[in-house]
Amino acid sequence: MQLALSRVTYTHPAAQDPILNNVTIAFPQGWTGLLGDNGCGKSTLARLACGLIVPDSGTVSNGLFAVYCPQEADEAPHALADFALDFGREARSLRKRLSLTDDMPWRWDELSFGERKKLQIACSLWQRPDVLAVDEPTNHLDMESIAWLETYLINYKGAVFIVSHDRYFLDRVVTKVVEIDRGHVRTFMGNYSAYAEKKAMIRDAEYKAWLNQ
């Protein structure tokens, strides 16, 4: 099972140039980190992969159940009410592990950003999607919740990718890194430290080539 994007191009409605240009990439089972400068298209790629927006051209494989957990903590999950009404073992376990009380889903507007982020994550995991995209999941979380999330996600069975600036979290979770640069993607195998080492080698080789020219 894997999610595949083939020759995908996408331009934001208010922009002239595409933010992603002719991107072909596959997300197999396991964890992939999405890296790149702010505004490079990380969240756009995540939303495309989950079917929340449609590419200008190219295709995104369908037939897989995908869930996107947004970066913004003010965006209530679509499955919030269903999660609140479920008192099965999985829902109760998620609420316990993330210190969520049964009444929190009904008090969304009163919750702190940290409590909202926990609910977003709980609702996403509770749905058990084939494809899970999480955008800055450690924002607003306490250390205990981050540690639990690391363990849970490492053992998650599915194609999962994460947008994050938390290098320590990425180092412990991801096994592949996709870098987005000027609309194009490049894949690196390994965790964040392996990616950083390879990037340093590439920059050094490019600098030496520039000096020779």
Side-chain angles (χ1 to χ4, degrees):
M1 180 202 71
Q2 69 176 11
L3 173 73
L5 285 74
S6 178
R7 302 177 66 86
V8 165
T9 295
Y10 182 80
T11 306
H12 289 302
Q16 292 183 341
D17 299 320
I19 191 168
L20 296 172
N21 190 15
N22 200 32
V23 169
T24 295
I25 191 169
F27 294 96
Q29 181 174 322
W31 270 89
T32 301
L34 296 183
L35 300 183
D37 295 335
N38 289 335
C40 72
K42 299 185 296 293
S43 296
T44 300
L45 180 58
R47 289 177 178 273
L48 282 164
C50 290
L52 298 180
I53 53 178
V54 179
D56 303 330
S57 61
T59 59
V60 179
S61 60
N62 52 25
L64 297 175
F65 175 41
V67 170
Y68 173 70
C69 185
Q71 175 181 350
E72 297 79 10
D74 56 352
E75 188 174 334
H78 295 298
L80 185 60
D82 292 333
F83 174 71
L85 294 170
D86 185 354
F87 289 93
R89 184 170 64 178
E90 178 71 9
R92 287 187 287 108
S93 176
L94 286 168
R95 284 196 280 267
K96 179 180 179 180
R97 294 295 184 179
L98 289 169
S99 302
L100 299 169
T101 59
D102 293 342
D103 66 321
M104 279 185 177
W106 310 114
R107 299 189 294 106
W108 176 265
D109 291 338
E110 304 171 10
L111 302 180
S112 67
F113 284 144
E115 292 167 334
R116 290 181 182 182
K117 177 56 68 176
K118 289 180 181 181
L119 268 175
Q120 286 178 332
I121 291 171
C123 286
S124 299
L125 297 176
W126 169 74
Q127 294 177 79
R128 286 285 177 177
D130 301 314
V131 177
L132 174 63
V134 286
D135 203 334
E136 299 291 353
T138 60
N139 282 5
H140 311 296
L141 291 188
D142 55 75
M143 295 305 297
E144 182 179 354
S145 297
I146 292 174
W148 173 83
L149 184 61
E150 287 176 7
T151 302
Y152 190 99
L153 294 180
I154 287 172
N155 297 312
Y156 189 87
K157 304 301 181 184
V160 191
F161 48 104
I162 177 173
V163 178
S164 179
H165 288 90
D166 188 336
R167 299 178 179 183
Y168 299 103
F169 183 78
L170 289 170
D171 231 8
R172 291 187 288 266
V173 175
V174 305
T175 57
K176 180 170 118 178
V177 168
V178 170
E179 180 189 64
I180 304 176
D181 182 25
R182 290 169 287 187
H184 302 283
V185 299
R186 180 187 293 181
T187 300
F188 298 81
M189 300 308 298
N191 61 6
Y192 179 84
S193 291
Y195 157 78
E197 183 177 347
K198 291 173 185 174
K199 280 292 292 183
M201 293 173 61
I202 291 171
R203 283 194 294 267
D204 185 55
E206 290 175 343
Y207 177 67
K208 289 179 179 178
W210 178 79
L211 286 178
N212 289 334
Q213 288 179 359

